[in-house]
mmCIF file of all heavy atoms in Angstrom:
data_model
loop_
_atom_site.group_PDB
_atom_site.id
_atom_site.type_symbol
_atom_site.label_atom_id
_atom_site.label_comp_id
_atom_site.label_asym_id
_atom_site.label_seq_id
_atom_site.Cartn_x
_atom_site.Cartn_y
_atom_site.Cartn_z
ATOM 1 N N SER A 178 -6.020 16.611 -2.998
ATOM 2 C CA SER A 178 -7.413 16.344 -3.345
ATOM 3 C C SER A 178 -7.489 15.595 -4.670
ATOM 4 O O SER A 178 -6.543 15.577 -5.457
ATOM 5 C CB SER A 178 -8.186 17.664 -3.455
ATOM 6 O OG SER A 178 -7.757 18.360 -4.608
ATOM 7 N N THR A 179 -8.648 15.013 -4.945
ATOM 8 C CA THR A 179 -8.797 14.240 -6.169
ATOM 9 C C THR A 179 -8.564 15.105 -7.401
ATOM 10 O O THR A 179 -7.876 14.712 -8.340
ATOM 11 C CB THR A 179 -10.207 13.617 -6.221
ATOM 12 O OG1 THR A 179 -10.405 12.847 -5.045
ATOM 13 C CG2 THR A 179 -10.362 12.726 -7.446
ATOM 14 N N SER A 180 -9.122 16.298 -7.409
ATOM 15 C CA SER A 180 -8.937 17.169 -8.563
ATOM 16 C C SER A 180 -7.504 17.653 -8.644
ATOM 17 O O SER A 180 -6.909 17.719 -9.718
ATOM 18 C CB SER A 180 -9.909 18.356 -8.493
ATOM 19 O OG SER A 180 -9.683 19.091 -7.302
ATOM 20 N N ALA A 181 -6.931 18.014 -7.513
ATOM 21 C CA ALA A 181 -5.547 18.503 -7.525
ATOM 22 C C ALA A 181 -4.600 17.406 -7.950
ATOM 23 O O ALA A 181 -3.562 17.662 -8.555
ATOM 24 C CB ALA A 181 -5.173 19.020 -6.141
ATOM 25 N N MET A 182 -4.944 16.163 -7.641
ATOM 26 C CA MET A 182 -4.076 15.061 -8.009
ATOM 27 C C MET A 182 -3.958 14.993 -9.530
ATOM 28 O O MET A 182 -2.890 14.707 -10.062
ATOM 29 C CB MET A 182 -4.628 13.749 -7.457
ATOM 30 C CG MET A 182 -3.748 12.552 -7.709
ATOM 31 S SD MET A 182 -4.229 11.137 -6.691
ATOM 32 C CE MET A 182 -5.932 10.929 -7.196
ATOM 33 N N ALA A 183 -5.050 15.253 -10.228
ATOM 34 C CA ALA A 183 -5.008 15.201 -11.679
ATOM 35 C C ALA A 183 -4.266 16.396 -12.268
ATOM 36 O O ALA A 183 -3.574 16.284 -13.271
ATOM 37 C CB ALA A 183 -6.440 15.143 -12.228
ATOM 38 N N GLN A 184 -4.406 17.565 -11.610
ATOM 39 C CA GLN A 184 -3.858 18.788 -12.170
ATOM 40 C C GLN A 184 -2.435 19.075 -11.699
ATOM 41 O O GLN A 184 -1.664 19.706 -12.407
ATOM 42 C CB GLN A 184 -4.762 19.965 -11.786
ATOM 43 C CG GLN A 184 -6.181 19.817 -12.322
ATOM 44 C CD GLN A 184 -7.097 20.892 -11.776
ATOM 45 O OE1 GLN A 184 -6.644 21.842 -11.146
ATOM 46 N NE2 GLN A 184 -8.386 20.747 -12.032
ATOM 47 N N ASN A 185 -2.076 18.616 -10.505
ATOM 48 C CA ASN A 185 -0.792 18.994 -9.915
ATOM 49 C C ASN A 185 -0.060 17.766 -9.402
ATOM 50 O O ASN A 185 0.351 17.708 -8.261
ATOM 51 C CB ASN A 185 -1.014 19.976 -8.754
ATOM 52 C CG ASN A 185 -1.743 21.228 -9.196
ATOM 53 O OD1 ASN A 185 -1.256 21.957 -10.039
ATOM 54 N ND2 ASN A 185 -2.914 21.450 -8.628
ATOM 55 N N ILE A 186 0.112 16.784 -10.280
ATOM 56 C CA ILE A 186 0.707 15.544 -9.826
ATOM 57 C C ILE A 186 2.124 15.742 -9.323
ATOM 58 O O ILE A 186 2.609 14.971 -8.496
ATOM 59 C CB ILE A 186 0.654 14.498 -10.945
ATOM 60 C CG1 ILE A 186 0.963 13.102 -10.388
ATOM 61 C CG2 ILE A 186 1.596 14.855 -12.084
ATOM 62 C CD1 ILE A 186 0.613 12.001 -11.349
ATOM 63 N N ALA A 187 2.804 16.782 -9.755
ATOM 64 C CA ALA A 187 4.173 17.043 -9.295
ATOM 65 C C ALA A 187 4.210 17.355 -7.814
ATOM 66 O O ALA A 187 5.255 17.234 -7.186
ATOM 67 C CB ALA A 187 4.787 18.187 -10.088
ATOM 68 N N LYS A 188 3.104 17.768 -7.237
ATOM 69 C CA LYS A 188 3.059 18.106 -5.813
ATOM 70 C C LYS A 188 2.897 16.883 -4.919
ATOM 71 O O LYS A 188 2.993 17.002 -3.702
ATOM 72 C CB LYS A 188 1.914 19.092 -5.555
ATOM 73 C CG LYS A 188 2.129 20.454 -6.194
ATOM 74 C CD LYS A 188 1.014 21.409 -5.812
ATOM 75 C CE LYS A 188 1.241 22.780 -6.444
ATOM 76 N NZ LYS A 188 0.160 23.725 -6.069
ATOM 77 N N ILE A 189 2.632 15.735 -5.499
ATOM 78 C CA ILE A 189 2.472 14.527 -4.694
ATOM 79 C C ILE A 189 3.839 14.044 -4.259
ATOM 80 O O ILE A 189 4.713 13.802 -5.086
ATOM 81 C CB ILE A 189 1.744 13.432 -5.488
ATOM 82 C CG1 ILE A 189 0.347 13.917 -5.868
ATOM 83 C CG2 ILE A 189 1.651 12.154 -4.684
ATOM 84 C CD1 ILE A 189 -0.388 12.976 -6.781
ATOM 85 N N ALA A 190 4.041 13.916 -2.967
ATOM 86 C CA ALA A 190 5.352 13.537 -2.438
ATOM 87 C C ALA A 190 5.505 12.031 -2.427
ATOM 88 O O ALA A 190 4.868 11.337 -1.650
ATOM 89 C CB ALA A 190 5.532 14.089 -1.028
ATOM 90 N N THR A 191 6.353 11.529 -3.311
ATOM 91 C CA THR A 191 6.645 10.111 -3.368
ATOM 92 C C THR A 191 8.147 9.932 -3.507
ATOM 93 O O THR A 191 8.869 10.860 -3.863
ATOM 94 C CB THR A 191 5.957 9.438 -4.568
ATOM 95 O OG1 THR A 191 6.481 9.994 -5.771
ATOM 96 C CG2 THR A 191 4.450 9.629 -4.512
ATOM 97 N N LEU A 192 8.619 8.718 -3.214
ATOM 98 C CA LEU A 192 10.019 8.417 -3.466
ATOM 99 C C LEU A 192 10.262 8.354 -4.965
ATOM 100 O O LEU A 192 9.345 8.070 -5.735
ATOM 101 C CB LEU A 192 10.396 7.088 -2.816
ATOM 102 C CG LEU A 192 10.389 7.063 -1.286
ATOM 103 C CD1 LEU A 192 10.817 5.696 -0.794
ATOM 104 C CD2 LEU A 192 11.289 8.130 -0.712
ATOM 105 N N PRO A 193 11.493 8.604 -5.422
ATOM 106 C CA PRO A 193 11.781 8.558 -6.864
ATOM 107 C C PRO A 193 11.346 7.237 -7.480
ATOM 108 O O PRO A 193 11.613 6.165 -6.950
ATOM 109 C CB PRO A 193 13.301 8.712 -6.910
ATOM 110 C CG PRO A 193 13.642 9.446 -5.652
ATOM 111 C CD PRO A 193 12.668 8.957 -4.619
ATOM 112 N N GLY A 194 10.634 7.346 -8.585
ATOM 113 C CA GLY A 194 10.212 6.156 -9.311
ATOM 114 C C GLY A 194 8.894 5.582 -8.847
ATOM 115 O O GLY A 194 8.386 4.648 -9.448
ATOM 116 N N SER A 195 8.317 6.111 -7.778
ATOM 117 C CA SER A 195 7.055 5.554 -7.301
ATOM 118 C C SER A 195 5.891 6.188 -8.037
ATOM 119 O O SER A 195 6.025 7.182 -8.724
ATOM 120 C CB SER A 195 6.912 5.779 -5.795
ATOM 121 O OG SER A 195 6.893 7.162 -5.511
ATOM 122 N N SER A 196 4.741 5.580 -7.892
ATOM 123 C CA SER A 196 3.548 6.085 -8.556
ATOM 124 C C SER A 196 2.430 6.187 -7.541
ATOM 125 O O SER A 196 2.509 5.630 -6.450
ATOM 126 C CB SER A 196 3.135 5.172 -9.705
ATOM 127 O OG SER A 196 2.868 3.878 -9.216
ATOM 128 N N VAL A 197 1.361 6.873 -7.906
ATOM 129 C CA VAL A 197 0.258 7.092 -6.975
ATOM 130 C C VAL A 197 -0.510 5.816 -6.717
ATOM 131 O O VAL A 197 -0.843 5.485 -5.596
ATOM 132 C CB VAL A 197 -0.676 8.185 -7.510
ATOM 133 C CG1 VAL A 197 -1.924 8.290 -6.659
ATOM 134 C CG2 VAL A 197 0.058 9.504 -7.559
ATOM 135 N N LYS A 198 -0.765 5.060 -7.768
ATOM 136 C CA LYS A 198 -1.614 3.884 -7.636
ATOM 137 C C LYS A 198 -0.758 2.625 -7.546
ATOM 138 O O LYS A 198 0.188 2.441 -8.277
ATOM 139 C CB LYS A 198 -2.553 3.790 -8.832
ATOM 140 C CG LYS A 198 -3.641 2.724 -8.690
ATOM 141 C CD LYS A 198 -4.609 2.795 -9.845
ATOM 142 C CE LYS A 198 -5.683 1.730 -9.719
ATOM 143 N NZ LYS A 198 -6.651 1.798 -10.819
ATOM 144 N N SER A 199 -1.098 1.748 -6.622
ATOM 145 C CA SER A 199 -0.360 0.501 -6.473
ATOM 146 C C SER A 199 -1.285 -0.671 -6.725
ATOM 147 O O SER A 199 -2.496 -0.523 -6.841
ATOM 148 C CB SER A 199 0.255 0.398 -5.081
ATOM 149 O OG SER A 199 -0.756 0.384 -4.112
ATOM 150 N N SER A 200 -0.690 -1.856 -6.794
ATOM 151 C CA SER A 200 -1.439 -3.052 -7.147
ATOM 152 C C SER A 200 -1.543 -3.988 -5.970
ATOM 153 O O SER A 200 -0.674 -4.040 -5.113
ATOM 154 C CB SER A 200 -0.752 -3.760 -8.308
ATOM 155 O OG SER A 200 -1.335 -5.027 -8.529
ATOM 156 N N HIS A 201 -2.635 -4.773 -5.936
ATOM 157 C CA HIS A 201 -2.779 -5.816 -4.926
ATOM 158 C C HIS A 201 -2.147 -7.129 -5.369
ATOM 159 O O HIS A 201 -2.271 -8.127 -4.680
ATOM 160 C CB HIS A 201 -4.262 -6.072 -4.643
ATOM 161 C CG HIS A 201 -4.929 -4.956 -3.904
ATOM 162 N ND1 HIS A 201 -4.425 -4.427 -2.751
ATOM 163 C CD2 HIS A 201 -6.073 -4.285 -4.164
ATOM 164 C CE1 HIS A 201 -5.233 -3.478 -2.329
ATOM 165 N NE2 HIS A 201 -6.233 -3.369 -3.162
ATOM 166 N N THR A 202 -1.507 -7.139 -6.537
ATOM 167 C CA THR A 202 -0.962 -8.391 -7.050
ATOM 168 C C THR A 202 0.008 -9.009 -6.055
ATOM 169 O O THR A 202 0.932 -8.356 -5.572
ATOM 170 C CB THR A 202 -0.234 -8.147 -8.379
ATOM 171 O OG1 THR A 202 -1.145 -7.566 -9.299
ATOM 172 C CG2 THR A 202 0.301 -9.463 -8.945
ATOM 173 N N LYS A 203 -0.209 -10.282 -5.742
ATOM 174 C CA LYS A 203 0.661 -10.963 -4.783
ATOM 175 C C LYS A 203 2.012 -11.221 -5.429
ATOM 176 O O LYS A 203 2.125 -11.436 -6.619
ATOM 177 C CB LYS A 203 0.036 -12.287 -4.327
ATOM 178 C CG LYS A 203 -1.192 -12.098 -3.457
ATOM 179 C CD LYS A 203 -1.720 -13.442 -3.000
ATOM 180 C CE LYS A 203 -2.912 -13.263 -2.081
ATOM 181 N NZ LYS A 203 -2.537 -12.688 -0.806
ATOM 182 N N ASN A 204 3.063 -11.198 -4.601
ATOM 183 C CA ASN A 204 4.390 -11.476 -5.102
ATOM 184 C C ASN A 204 5.163 -12.208 -4.029
ATOM 185 O O ASN A 204 4.643 -12.529 -2.964
ATOM 186 C CB ASN A 204 5.102 -10.165 -5.492
ATOM 187 C CG ASN A 204 5.138 -9.185 -4.337
ATOM 188 O OD1 ASN A 204 5.711 -9.485 -3.293
ATOM 189 N ND2 ASN A 204 4.513 -8.019 -4.508
ATOM 190 N N ALA A 205 6.409 -12.498 -4.318
ATOM 191 C CA ALA A 205 7.213 -13.317 -3.400
ATOM 192 C C ALA A 205 7.436 -12.647 -2.065
ATOM 193 O O ALA A 205 7.857 -13.295 -1.103
ATOM 194 C CB ALA A 205 8.557 -13.642 -4.057
ATOM 195 N N PHE A 206 7.182 -11.359 -1.982
ATOM 196 C CA PHE A 206 7.456 -10.628 -0.741
ATOM 197 C C PHE A 206 6.242 -10.558 0.178
ATOM 198 O O PHE A 206 6.337 -10.051 1.284
ATOM 199 C CB PHE A 206 7.937 -9.205 -1.079
ATOM 200 C CG PHE A 206 9.226 -9.198 -1.828
ATOM 201 C CD1 PHE A 206 9.241 -9.123 -3.208
ATOM 202 C CD2 PHE A 206 10.440 -9.275 -1.162
ATOM 203 C CE1 PHE A 206 10.442 -9.118 -3.909
ATOM 204 C CE2 PHE A 206 11.642 -9.278 -1.854
ATOM 205 C CZ PHE A 206 11.638 -9.197 -3.236
ATOM 206 N N ASN A 207 5.092 -11.040 -0.296
ATOM 207 C CA ASN A 207 3.894 -10.955 0.543
ATOM 208 C C ASN A 207 4.070 -11.710 1.853
ATOM 209 O O ASN A 207 4.566 -12.829 1.874
ATOM 210 C CB ASN A 207 2.674 -11.541 -0.185
ATOM 211 C CG ASN A 207 2.183 -10.648 -1.302
ATOM 212 O OD1 ASN A 207 2.231 -11.035 -2.440
ATOM 213 N ND2 ASN A 207 1.722 -9.462 -0.973
ATOM 214 N N GLN A 208 3.647 -11.098 2.940
ATOM 215 C CA GLN A 208 3.582 -11.797 4.217
ATOM 216 C C GLN A 208 2.267 -12.552 4.251
ATOM 217 O O GLN A 208 1.230 -12.017 3.903
ATOM 218 C CB GLN A 208 3.667 -10.807 5.377
ATOM 219 C CG GLN A 208 4.993 -10.068 5.418
ATOM 220 C CD GLN A 208 4.972 -8.939 6.416
ATOM 221 O OE1 GLN A 208 4.016 -8.745 7.126
ATOM 222 N NE2 GLN A 208 6.046 -8.189 6.457
ATOM 223 N N LYS A 209 2.327 -13.803 4.684
ATOM 224 C CA LYS A 209 1.138 -14.629 4.683
ATOM 225 C C LYS A 209 0.428 -14.549 6.023
ATOM 226 O O LYS A 209 1.055 -14.578 7.077
ATOM 227 C CB LYS A 209 1.504 -16.085 4.380
ATOM 228 C CG LYS A 209 2.237 -16.256 3.047
ATOM 229 C CD LYS A 209 1.412 -15.776 1.878
ATOM 230 C CE LYS A 209 2.128 -15.992 0.553
ATOM 231 N NZ LYS A 209 1.387 -15.437 -0.585
ATOM 232 N N ALA A 210 -0.886 -14.458 5.973
ATOM 233 C CA ALA A 210 -1.660 -14.456 7.212
ATOM 234 C C ALA A 210 -1.558 -15.822 7.871
ATOM 235 O O ALA A 210 -1.600 -16.847 7.221
ATOM 236 C CB ALA A 210 -3.114 -14.124 6.907
ATOM 237 N N GLY A 211 -1.425 -15.821 9.174
ATOM 238 C CA GLY A 211 -1.337 -17.063 9.920
ATOM 239 C C GLY A 211 -1.106 -16.773 11.377
ATOM 240 O O GLY A 211 -1.016 -15.618 11.801
ATOM 241 N N ALA A 212 -1.015 -17.840 12.175
ATOM 242 C CA ALA A 212 -0.873 -17.661 13.614
ATOM 243 C C ALA A 212 0.349 -16.828 13.950
ATOM 244 O O ALA A 212 0.338 -16.033 14.881
ATOM 245 C CB ALA A 212 -0.791 -19.033 14.290
ATOM 246 N N GLY A 213 1.433 -17.000 13.175
ATOM 247 C CA GLY A 213 2.648 -16.257 13.454
ATOM 248 C C GLY A 213 2.571 -14.805 13.092
ATOM 249 O O GLY A 213 3.464 -14.026 13.423
ATOM 250 N N MET A 214 1.511 -14.422 12.374
ATOM 251 C CA MET A 214 1.357 -13.036 11.954
ATOM 252 C C MET A 214 0.207 -12.353 12.676
ATOM 253 O O MET A 214 -0.297 -11.336 12.219
ATOM 254 C CB MET A 214 1.157 -12.970 10.436
ATOM 255 C CG MET A 214 2.389 -13.372 9.643
ATOM 256 S SD MET A 214 3.839 -12.365 10.026
ATOM 257 C CE MET A 214 3.268 -10.750 9.488
ATOM 258 N N GLN A 215 -0.252 -12.912 13.775
ATOM 259 C CA GLN A 215 -1.297 -12.275 14.570
ATOM 260 C C GLN A 215 -0.658 -11.729 15.836
ATOM 261 O O GLN A 215 0.016 -12.444 16.560
ATOM 262 C CB GLN A 215 -2.415 -13.250 14.933
ATOM 263 C CG GLN A 215 -3.500 -12.584 15.773
ATOM 264 C CD GLN A 215 -4.716 -13.473 15.971
ATOM 265 O OE1 GLN A 215 -4.905 -14.433 15.257
ATOM 266 N NE2 GLN A 215 -5.539 -13.117 16.944
ATOM 267 N N PHE A 216 -0.900 -10.450 16.103
ATOM 268 C CA PHE A 216 -0.229 -9.782 17.217
ATOM 269 C C PHE A 216 -1.209 -9.277 18.265
ATOM 270 O O PHE A 216 -0.848 -8.492 19.130
ATOM 271 C CB PHE A 216 0.634 -8.634 16.674
ATOM 272 C CG PHE A 216 1.630 -9.087 15.654
ATOM 273 C CD1 PHE A 216 1.385 -8.937 14.303
ATOM 274 C CD2 PHE A 216 2.801 -9.708 16.051
ATOM 275 C CE1 PHE A 216 2.305 -9.376 13.365
ATOM 276 C CE2 PHE A 216 3.730 -10.148 15.121
ATOM 277 C CZ PHE A 216 3.480 -9.979 13.769
ATOM 278 N N CYS A 217 -2.463 -9.733 18.187
ATOM 279 C CA CYS A 217 -3.455 -9.347 19.178
ATOM 280 C C CYS A 217 -4.046 -10.617 19.786
ATOM 281 O O CYS A 217 -3.814 -11.721 19.305
ATOM 282 C CB CYS A 217 -4.551 -8.503 18.543
ATOM 283 S SG CYS A 217 -5.338 -9.308 17.130
ATOM 284 N N LYS A 218 -4.825 -10.455 20.855
ATOM 285 C CA LYS A 218 -5.331 -11.619 21.590
ATOM 286 C C LYS A 218 -6.547 -12.246 20.942
ATOM 287 O O LYS A 218 -6.671 -13.456 20.873
ATOM 288 C CB LYS A 218 -5.676 -11.212 23.028
ATOM 289 C CG LYS A 218 -4.480 -10.843 23.880
ATOM 290 C CD LYS A 218 -4.877 -10.678 25.330
ATOM 291 C CE LYS A 218 -5.868 -9.570 25.540
ATOM 292 N NZ LYS A 218 -6.096 -9.273 26.964
ATOM 293 N N GLY A 219 -7.482 -11.420 20.493
ATOM 294 C CA GLY A 219 -8.775 -11.936 20.075
ATOM 295 C C GLY A 219 -8.788 -12.459 18.655
ATOM 296 O O GLY A 219 -7.817 -12.324 17.894
ATOM 297 N N ASN A 220 -9.913 -13.060 18.267
ATOM 298 C CA ASN A 220 -10.080 -13.502 16.885
ATOM 299 C C ASN A 220 -9.984 -12.317 15.940
ATOM 300 O O ASN A 220 -10.408 -11.199 16.258
ATOM 301 C CB ASN A 220 -11.437 -14.187 16.710
ATOM 302 C CG ASN A 220 -11.528 -15.486 17.474
ATOM 303 O OD1 ASN A 220 -10.544 -16.211 17.607
ATOM 304 N ND2 ASN A 220 -12.705 -15.788 17.979
ATOM 305 N N LEU A 221 -9.414 -12.560 14.753
ATOM 306 C CA LEU A 221 -9.268 -11.498 13.765
ATOM 307 C C LEU A 221 -10.585 -11.290 13.022
ATOM 308 O O LEU A 221 -11.093 -12.202 12.374
ATOM 309 C CB LEU A 221 -8.161 -11.848 12.774
ATOM 310 C CG LEU A 221 -6.739 -11.809 13.327
ATOM 311 C CD1 LEU A 221 -5.750 -12.304 12.283
ATOM 312 C CD2 LEU A 221 -6.368 -10.416 13.797
#
């Protein structure tokens, strides 16, 4: 829960070195949207 997250952060299960909050910052690993990245039939 939001309150428990502040009080009991040790209980949050993450891989070593990870954090709760992540960033939307683009980097070299981003997959780009495009025809090759659409896996359904209809318009997105």
Side-chain angles (χ1 to χ4, degrees):
S178 70
T179 304
S180 59
M182 184 165 58
Q184 299 172 10
N185 302 299
I186 194 166
K188 293 184 179 180
I189 298 173
T191 63
L192 293 181
S195 62
S196 60
V197 172
K198 189 174 179 179
S199 62
S200 171
H201 289 309
T202 302
K203 291 182 178 291
N204 55 61
F206 297 96
N207 287 116
Q208 296 170 4
K209 303 300 182 184
M214 292 302 297
Q215 180 172 343
F216 304 99
C217 55
K218 292 189 298 189
N220 293 326
L221 290 175

